Amino acid sequence: MTAEMSEGEWEVSVELSDCACEDAEAVFRVLGGLFRSDWNELQPEGRRANVWLSRFDVSGDGGRPDAVTLGSPVTAELQGSPHAVERLHGVLTEAFGVVEVLEVAGDQEKQLRLRLETR
């Protein structure tokens, strides 16, 4: 589900690390199936990367995700407006086992670091 992305209050930047490429792709497939993103344009060539990045527009009702199996835990860092980050966090909680590692909140922006695991 690719569409034009614009900076806005419903956009969340997602950074995945400490994981295999297959696990990063699994997480982005779940999110990309529910929300507009730039993931298709940004996929790393050669499937080797230390960090995977994408932006998601969570303004629409993306629906409910299916639970997903991961080969190993994934570190996910979410950054955006507080309500947008909370919406994406809710979706991740439905699809994965989620452990909150770090939260930095301000009036205009929220950063959340999560550990995603198979439920």
Side-chain angles (χ1 to χ4, degrees):
M1 185 180 262
T2 305
E4 288 183 33
M5 297 292 298
S6 61
E7 297 281 331
E9 67 178 283
W10 289 104
E11 182 180 291
V12 180
S13 173
V14 179
E15 176 182 302
L16 304 179
S17 61
D18 300 329
C19 63
C21 184
E22 294 79 16
D23 292 326
E25 288 175 344
V27 173
F28 282 153
R29 265 195 312 275
V30 167
L31 297 177
L34 301 174
F35 303 112
R36 290 179 292 170
S37 76
D38 59 2
W39 172 241
N40 289 332
E41 292 85 23
L42 298 177
Q43 291 184 35
E45 291 187 28
R47 298 175 50 88
R48 292 191 177 262
N50 293 322
V51 176
W52 291 266
L53 302 168
S54 190
R55 294 179 299 150
F56 293 88
D57 178 346
V58 299
S59 60
D61 179 15
R64 296 181 58 112
D66 294 326
V68 175
T69 301
L70 296 173
S72 62
V74 174
T75 298
E77 187 131 351
L78 314 180
Q79 187 170 359
S81 68
H83 54 276
V85 168
E86 284 304 316
R87 180 174 284 179
L88 196 65
H89 179 228
V91 167
L92 291 171
T93 300
E94 290 187 43
F96 305 97
V98 175
V99 176
E100 289 189 30
V101 177
L102 174 72
E103 179 177 344
V104 178
D107 291 342
Q108 303 297 316
E109 189 168 275
K110 181 174 185 175
Q111 183 176 354
L112 190 59
R113 184 174 303 142
L114 309 170
R115 193 77 172 154
L116 308 179
E117 302 171 343
T118 299
R119 276 186 183 256

